[in-house]
Structure formats: structure tokens, C-alpha cells
Amino acid sequence: PQPPLAPMGPPPPHAAGWVPPSSDPSRSAERAVDGNTIISQYLQQHFSTEAHTFAGAGKAVADTALSGMIRYPQRIAARLADKAAALGIPTGRALDIGCAVGGTCFELARHCEEVIGLDQSAAIIGAANRLRTSGTMELFCPDEGELTTTIKAVVDPTVDRAKVSFKQMDAMCLSPALGEFDLVVVSNLLEALISPGSCLGRLAGRQGVVKVGGLVLVASTYDWDARLTPQDLWLGGRRDAAGEQLRSREGLAKAMGKCFELTHEENMPQVCRINARKYEVVVTNVTIWRRTE
């Protein structure tokens, strides 16, 4: 699951006189703490090793299925690359919409010549660029109470980080200047958007970011929250005017439309460390679609 979006401060002018919270100087210390916590959560999800993730539980967890559930971002990248290879699809350019600190992007760089990661948060993009530049970044892992352990997130040195770039961009307003991509990832993002359909609508069409013949991996927990997404814009998880149940997986297929055909689907578990002895397991619905027109 994605941690809450980090604060960002887009430059003025702002629509309708809106002033982003990040421009309030009285909250700067609070924002710094929150931002560092969120970035550490992302770094842990993307780069923590089995030893770091389960340090407090040791062998009690190492011998269970949980040990195979870490590094979800790398696993979805590998799944998408494997599907492209099986279908004979080129892997020149890849795009990760909602990339966070770049775990999926760096993994895709093993297979692609160019990888672009997008995120709306300036703070998170800054962390991703630090990893691109140095290959490592410190993070703190909660242990118990106020105690933490400081470890390093490390990008595998066999990855060519120069293939990867990061840009701050709104997933619901993708720039046409991005062009087209052979592979696109939209993972655990839809449920955090005001209008998930706006993001999905940019995958195809005259200026679609997925090339005809290319692949897009769309993954979601369908964990909708009316505080983030108006209920009438949820892909599912609600009832229609007639009282009939609307399921998110069916809503996703409808939103993908006739331009895409489903090539792969699975439910992929992931484990996230809450503290040294507490973990969260989430099962994400992972789908891979091929653009046909």
C-alpha cells in the first residue's frame, strides 16, 4: 500500500486563489517530520532487505511465506518485463506513473533503454533523484515506541541508474510532451486520486502514453476513501442508483475500454513493516493490458 502523499508546494499562481498547505511557514517543522516519515516508509517498501524487514522477528518469519512478499515494486517490474518478453514486445521506453522513490523504475532499467518516473510530490521526487545520483539513502525504521533503527536503502549496483529520470507531475494531467511508451506502470495509485478515470483516460487515444501494441500494468487494492476520491468517481466498491453492486475490477475493465485487451492477471501479496514486530499484508490485484488500437 502507498503511504499518504507527501506535502508538495507547486509554484504560484494557484487556481481560485488556493494556497497549498506547504506554503504556511508556521507548519514547516511539522511538514519536515511528516515528509521524512513518509519518505522512509517508501524507501523501506521499495528497498528494504529481508534481514531489515524481519529483524525483530528473525527465524519466526524467515521460514514463512511472508519472506517472499517484500520488494513488491521490483516484483511488478519483473512481471511486466517477463510478459513483454513472452509477447515479443520491445522495451525501449517505460513510464511509471506514481513512482514514489523509484523501486519499480530502477528495476525496469534492467530491461529498458529509458525509464521515466512521475510523482506529484516534490519531496518524494527529490528522494528518488538522490537515489539516482548516489545509489543510496538513509532511512529510519520504527522498532518500538519512539525507538528507531537507521539503515540504508541501496539501489542494486548492477542497475544502470543513468537510464532513469524522475519528474514531478500530476497523474491526472500528464503532459503530451512525455510521448509514447512501450511499458507503463500504474500501481497502487488509482485509489489515491481525485479522479482515477482521468489517469486511465490518458493511457490510450490520440495522445495516449501507451504505444499501440505496448503494455500497461494497472494494480490496485481498490481501497477507496471518500476523503481522497469522490464516491461517484470510484471505479467500484459501491452501489448504483438501482442498488446493484459495482465491483472495482469490473469498473477497471470498463474504464480500460476497447483499446486494451487483458493479457495477465494475478493477486500479488505484499508485506509492509509497521515496526519490529508488526507487519501489514495487502493483496493487490495486478493486471497487465495490451493496447490494441
Side-chain angles (χ1 to χ4, degrees):
Q2 301 277 31
L5 295 174
M8 61 176 283
H14 305 298
W18 173 71
V19 178
S22 55
S23 66
D24 180 358
S26 67
R27 297 183 57 201
S28 58
E30 175 188 341
R31 289 195 312 274
V33 172
D34 289 346
N36 289 338
T37 300
I38 290 166
I39 289 170
S40 281
Q41 289 173 350
Y42 273 124
L43 289 169
Q44 186 173 288
Q45 288 181 15
H46 285 233
F47 298 104
S48 183
T49 64
E50 183 176 322
H52 292 150
T53 302
F54 303 117
K59 188 173 174 61
V61 167
D63 294 337
T64 71
L66 288 177
S67 62
M69 297 182 191
I70 64 171
R71 295 206 168 203
Y72 165 84
Q74 287 80 1
R75 286 188 285 135
I76 59 170
R79 191 73 83 248
L80 181 58
D82 288 347
K83 177 57 67 173
L87 296 175
I89 294 172
T91 54
R93 301 186 78 212
L95 176 70
D96 185 2
I97 305 172
C99 65
V101 292
T104 297
C105 293
F106 292 119
E107 189 68 21
L108 285 172
R110 297 183 187 276
H111 310 277
C112 304
E113 292 305 311
E114 179 189 11
V115 183
I116 297 176
L118 308 178
D119 200 283
Q120 76 159 359
S121 167
I124 289 174
I125 288 296
N129 275 320
R130 269 188 69 181
L131 283 168
R132 180 186 181 275
T133 301
S134 66
T136 185
M137 187 173 174
E138 284 193 345
L139 67 137
F140 59 89
C141 295
D143 282 340
E144 55 181 88
E146 63 181 15
L147 303 180
T148 62
T149 297
T150 301
I151 63 175
K152 284 188 175 182
V154 179
V155 179
D156 190 320
T158 63
V159 171
D160 185 355
R161 302 192 306 274
K163 292 182 178 182
V164 182
S165 63
F166 297 101
K167 302 177 186 293
Q168 184 184 2
M169 193 174 297
D170 187 335
M172 296 176 292
C173 190
L174 300 179
S175 170
L178 289 169
E180 295 182 319
F181 296 83
D182 302 290
L183 305 179
V184 175
V185 174
V186 183
S187 177
N188 288 346
L189 173 69
L190 298 177
E191 54 269 52
L193 297 178
I194 294 174
S195 175
S198 295
C199 177
L200 295 174
R202 282 288 282 111
L203 299 178
R206 190 163 56 90
Q207 294 182 322
V209 294
V210 183
K211 286 183 178 179
V212 174
L215 296 178
V216 56
L217 182 148
V218 182
S220 178
T221 60
Y222 307 128
D223 186 19
W224 305 108
D225 186 337
R227 294 170 296 179
L228 300 175
T229 311
Q231 193 168 354
D232 59 344
L233 297 182
W234 296 359
L235 296 182
R238 57 188 175 88
R239 295 181 183 273
D240 63 17
E244 295 296 322
Q245 291 186 355
L246 300 176
R247 294 291 181 180
S248 299
R249 176 59 184 79
E250 297 168 5
L252 174 61
K254 183 177 179 180
M256 298 302 289
K258 64 179 182 179
C259 294
F260 290 94
E261 64 178 7
L262 183 68
T263 65
H264 177 80
E265 182 170 9
E266 67 180 286
N267 291 315
M268 185 178 290
Q270 54 178 310
V271 62
C272 301
R273 185 182 190 270
I274 306 301
N275 60 40
R277 296 179 179 275
K278 183 178 180 181
Y279 307 91
E280 179 181 45
V281 175
V282 174
V283 180
T284 302
N285 181 228
V286 177
T287 59
I288 299 178
W289 309 76
R290 186 171 191 175
R291 183 176 174 185
T292 56
E293 59 180 79

